[in-house]
Every structure is written in C-alpha cells, then in structure tokens.
Amino acid sequence: MPDGAPDNDLTRQYGLAFAEGRDLLIENSGRDPGDALTQVAQLADEHPDRLATLPGDFGFIRLRPHGDATVVRSCGGLVPFYLWQKPSAHCQGEGSGVRVAIATRLGDFVRYLPDEFRLDPLVNAIWACSWPLFPHNRTFLAGVTILPRGHFARLNGQTYAEPYWHPRPAHLAYPTPAQAREHAERLRSILIEKLTRDLDPDDGNLLTLSGGVDSSSLGALAAGVVGRKVWTFSLLPSKKRPDLVQRELAFIAPLAQQYGLARRWEIHAHERLVLDLWQAAPRIVFHVLHPALCSLPGIVREAPVRVLFGGEFADEVCGSVFTIPDWTRHTPFWRLAADARIAFRQPRVLGRWAKYRLAAWRGRASHPFPRALLDLD
C-alpha cells in the first residue's frame, strides 16, 4: 500500500509478495515472524481453502519454483488482483506454453506488456450504464479477469479461483436482543481499531460524507473518538431543488460543526456531472463511477489527501438493494406476517419478498440487476 514498508528479505525468502495486511498478520499471529510466514506459505501451497484461519485481512502472492503461484485477495478486497494468461511457445518447465501476468492496477497490463489488448464490450457496456458489475469476473480488458474478494487463484498453466472465505452461511438465525447489542459493540470496536490504524495521525483524511447513518458514524468515530483531523466531500442534490439541498445539509452541517471537520468540498448533481468529471480526470483504462473518485484529482490539487474513506460498502453489511436476495432467503413469511408495521408502512417490502421467493421457486437466479444487462453477452 502507499507509504507502506516494502517486503523484507525474510518475506521474500518464503516466496511471498504482500499487497496488504502483512504486518498485522504477523503481529496478530503471536508467533515469531519466520514461523508466521512459514504457516502462510504452507497454507497457500497445501490448503488455501483454510486461509481464513489466519488472523487479520491480507492480500498476497505466494510464488513457487517452475513459475506457478497462488494469488490471495483479501476478504475486504481493498487491493484488487487482476490475472491474465496467454499461450506462449517460449516458456519452459511446468506449465510451459503459458505466460502469466498478475497486477494490482489494471492499467499496468497496457503499460508494460507488449501485447495489444482489446476492450471487453460487455463489461464496458454495463459500466457505461452505471452498473458496477463484473460478470463472470471479466474486466474492461478482454482476457483479463479480477479475483473476487475472499478468493484464491492457483496459476499453474490453468487458472481457477475458489473462495477461502464466504460471508453467506447456509442458515442465518435472527439475533436475540443480547446478541444484537454484542454485535453492535463488536462492530464499534472494530471500526475504532481500523480507523486508529489506517487514518493519518496528522492530516489529509478525506471522508465521503452523505449525511446518512454510515458515513456520519464514521465521521463521528474518526473525529470524536479517535481524534483524527477529518475533511469531507459531499455530493448534494441539484441546485434546482433547494429543498433537497437544505435537507441534506441539515444532517451534514451539524455534524461538521460538532466535530470540527476542518475542510469541506461539496458538488451539486446535474445531468452532465459524471461526464464533466470524466473529462477533467486523468486518462485511465476503466470507468470510474463514484463522484468522489472522479473529483479526487481536483481535490488533491488543493490539499494533500492521504486517506480516502467512507461508508459506501456499509450497504453490503447493513442492507441495500444488493442484499435483498439474501434477506428474502433467510426471512420466512411468518416473520413478515408477525410484524404488522411492514404490511401497513412498507408494502413494497412484501412485494419484493414475493418476487425473489417466486424467482427462487422457478429456479431463476436472484439478483438486483436488470435482466437485460445479463442478457447482453
């Protein structure tokens, strides 16, 4: 990661190249660094499906003789791994006839490999429609795949990816009030620990603040509990709707005042916002849909941003349109019927439950994406 210490000789001795999580893994193992790295290498070689037994979250490559390797992406997926293979008659040894490239930046394939890469029409069409979806792990470049979060891939002439960690159990029981309190306390301690470790102690921490529960909680914890200086970036509704703008600012402004959020950047949505941001951004080989990422080059010219953080992926934990299929599968009808508030206040919930249950009964895949996107290929 940027500003991180490079792998030392001991790490290289075990054929390991870390992208993230190395120091925390060794520290939390409670073992000698050599013993901890030995365990990592052995699991990657012999039992990669058991990598979740290691402490922390990590991403690395385990390199072995004869050119084969195991690539491991973290469960959080902070650093991506892109994979590419192509037949070649010039390779020797095991897996001969195959060239392999691994990168954490998609543009490096175009920048450093002599091959002429083509765009993948399906993936580019989907992202051009503002849907962040990589069908079958394909990427914007044809022939380059992305390793899913919590997966490992073995590269030995043939590439296949399997999960070593999966967040969806076969059955999910509803928590008791005591369990719910325990979960909330544990989540709070995890967030405080990570914010303490990852945010810059001096300055340059930019929070994507929408005013919602997720980003507001991070701002309150980072500035009010951890004591870090926090800057904010907010995407506000169009200026044509001052009522909506004032509604958003009614959440954002008091938080900024209470916790002394040092600097704030705000932009207003309009029809050409994404296009205008794209045109002002550096040339890259993939679509960037998030307004904060599109605006980041301009913000960096004004202030030295060192850490960008936000609650974007909290929806995957707390619930959103993307988690409705999971919620439907684990929610029996009797529980919906027992809660009269759902029937009277949120009738759409009942409709969604019926829709996804019917799709599962008919053997169709449950997903929140428009079916037309998956029929493009």
Side-chain angles (χ1 to χ4, degrees):
M1 294 294 290
D3 299 323
D7 291 322
N8 55 28
D9 292 338
L10 179 63
T11 305
R12 296 192 188 100
Q13 177 182 330
Y14 290 94
L16 295 168
F18 278 88
E20 59 173 315
R22 176 200 60 218
D23 297 339
L24 193 60
L25 189 158
I26 295 175
E27 176 185 335
N28 290 344
S29 69
R31 309 170 67 176
D32 177 81
D35 294 338
L37 294 174
T38 298
Q39 183 185 20
V40 173
Q42 289 177 346
L43 284 176
D45 291 348
E46 302 170 8
H47 300 288
D49 55 314
R50 302 180 188 174
L51 284 165
T53 60
L54 295 173
D57 202 13
F58 40 77
F60 65 87
I61 305 172
R62 160 62 174 165
L63 303 166
R64 290 185 294 276
H66 310 297
D68 59 335
T70 298
V71 186
V72 179
R73 187 177 178 188
S74 64
C75 302
L78 188 61
V79 179
F81 278 106
Y82 300 102
L83 312 175
W84 173 85
Q85 287 194 153
K86 184 177 181 180
S88 173
H90 302 292
C91 297
Q92 302 293 329
E94 293 185 18
S96 62
V98 176
R99 288 189 297 148
V100 177
I102 308 166
T104 57
R105 299 188 301 182
L106 191 61
D108 286 350
F109 291 97
V110 179
R111 184 174 295 110
Y112 296 116
L113 294 183
D115 300 73
E116 188 71 25
F117 282 90
R118 297 180 297 104
L119 296 178
D120 187 310
L122 174 65
V123 180
N124 283 275
I126 289 175
W127 279 70
C129 296
S130 297
W131 284 92
L133 174 66
F134 288 117
H136 308 296
N137 303 323
R138 289 158 58 173
T139 68
F140 305 110
L141 297 179
V144 179
T145 60
I146 186 171
L147 186 63
R149 288 176 287 179
H151 279 61
F152 69 90
R154 279 182 164 164
L155 308 178
N156 53 2
Q158 293 183 346
T159 302
Y160 66 92
E162 293 183 1
Y164 67 88
W165 176 83
H166 201 285
R168 294 176 174 84
H171 176 71
L172 185 64
Y174 271 74
T176 64
Q179 289 174 329
R181 288 193 298 271
E182 179 187 352
H183 292 171
E185 293 170 359
R186 185 182 178 193
L187 175 60
R188 175 184 171 86
S189 64
I190 290 174
L191 289 174
I192 292 175
E193 178 185 356
K194 185 161 183 63
L195 291 171
T196 303
R197 183 176 64 247
D198 291 352
L199 295 185
D200 192 281
D202 298 323
D203 217 341
N205 303 299
L206 182 63
L207 169 67
T208 53
L209 178 61
S210 67
V213 173
D214 307 328
S215 57
S216 297
S217 298
L218 287 177
L221 289 174
V225 178
V226 180
R228 297 291 193 263
K229 293 181 180 179
V230 176
W231 306 339
T232 65
F233 170 88
S234 300
L235 173 62
L236 300 177
S238 171
K239 293 182 179 180
K240 298 179 181 179
R241 294 295 307 273
D243 56 328
L244 297 180
V245 174
Q246 290 303 316
R247 182 179 183 275
E248 295 293 320
L249 291 177
F251 295 99
I252 295 173
L255 185 75
Q257 182 177 2
Q258 179 177 354
Y259 293 103
L261 305 184
R263 304 183 65 172
R264 293 164 54 188
W265 286 266
E266 298 170 352
I267 61 173
H268 292 265
H270 56 83
E271 294 179 353
R272 289 188 51 85
L273 174 62
V274 174
L275 293 177
D276 291 345
L277 291 173
W278 278 355
Q279 292 174 356
R283 299 296 181 184
I284 50 179
V285 298
F286 52 84
H287 296 268
V288 177
L289 303 178
H290 198 297
L293 293 176
C294 293
S295 303
L296 191 57
I299 297 176
V300 170
R301 285 193 290 268
E302 298 181 28
V305 177
R306 301 185 63 82
V307 180
L308 177 66
F309 69 111
E312 283 78 5
F313 288 100
D315 287 345
E316 300 187 11
V317 178
C318 304
S320 70
V321 64
F322 298 105
T323 58
I324 287 178
D326 288 338
W327 169 80
T328 302
R329 185 167 62 252
H330 294 292
T331 304
F333 180 75
W334 65 263
R335 183 171 291 277
L336 291 179
D339 192 344
R341 293 175 301 176
I342 293 180
F344 291 102
R345 297 182 183 179
Q346 298 175 312
R348 183 180 296 181
V349 171
L350 292 176
R352 287 176 171 173
W353 184 91
K355 170 186 174 182
Y356 285 102
R357 281 285 178 135
L358 179 62
W361 178 74
R362 295 176 60 185
R364 296 178 59 180
S366 297
H367 55 78
F369 303 103
R371 187 166 184 82
L373 290 180
L374 303 182
D375 291 337
L376 286 174
D377 193 11

